[in-house]
Amino acid sequence: QVQLVESGGGLVQTGGSLRLSCAAFGSIFSLNYMAWYRQAPGQERDLVAVITTSGGEDYADSVKGRFTISRDNAKNTVYLQMNSLKPEDTAVYFCNVAVQVGSRAMDYWGKGTLVTVSS
């Protein structure tokens, strides 16, 4: 019942910046955590950053100090500000949102947005 729309991906040079957005649409629901994952060619999908309902933030070691996750609950949107981008950041980035349904959380995934960082 929830659909995620991602945007903001693109091609940038090393050292550049991008801001990814993920907006959740659907019937009335209560958001739990919101997160970003990424998957590089030939690799598994790994967690990049997560923000909880309490505002807690966690990041993969590879992006600490460069990426910042934030959320706008009024707009049901999560953002990922990416600075000082490196070629190793090249991947498809996926939005992951948990919706609280009673006592359990339901996970929803976006279709992904491609980020390419050139050398």
Side-chain angles (χ1 to χ4, degrees):
Q1 297 180 357
V2 176
Q3 296 181 349
L4 306 180
V5 180
E6 300 151 319
S7 62
L11 173 64
V12 298
Q13 296 182 354
T14 298
S17 299
L18 285 174
R19 190 179 77 153
L20 306 182
S21 299
C22 174
F25 298 91
S27 58
I28 299 175
F29 57 85
S30 178
L31 292 174
N32 199 315
Y33 71 82
M34 306 182 81
W36 288 96
Y37 284 72
R38 69 184 181 186
Q39 186 170 22
Q43 300 184 6
E44 65 181 0
R45 187 174 300 184
D46 295 322
L47 176 67
V48 177
V50 59
I51 183 166
T52 68
T53 56
S54 62
E57 304 168 26
D58 287 296
Y59 300 91
D61 289 339
S62 60
V63 306
K64 287 182 178 178
R66 299 187 298 120
F67 291 10
T68 302
I69 189 171
S70 61
R71 62 191 291 172
D72 186 336
N73 290 328
K75 297 181 179 180
N76 293 328
T77 301
V78 61
Y79 305 94
L80 184 67
Q81 179 66 46
M82 305 184 295
N83 299 323
S84 301
L85 284 163
K86 307 174 181 179
E88 65 188 270
D89 295 318
T90 295
V92 176
Y93 285 71
F94 297 90
C95 179
N96 177 37
V97 174
V99 178
Q100 197 71 28
V101 181
S103 61
R104 60 190 179 93
M106 300 292 293
D107 282 312
Y108 295 89
W109 290 87
K111 296 181 179 180
T113 183
L114 178 63
V115 172
T116 302
V117 185
S118 62
S119 301

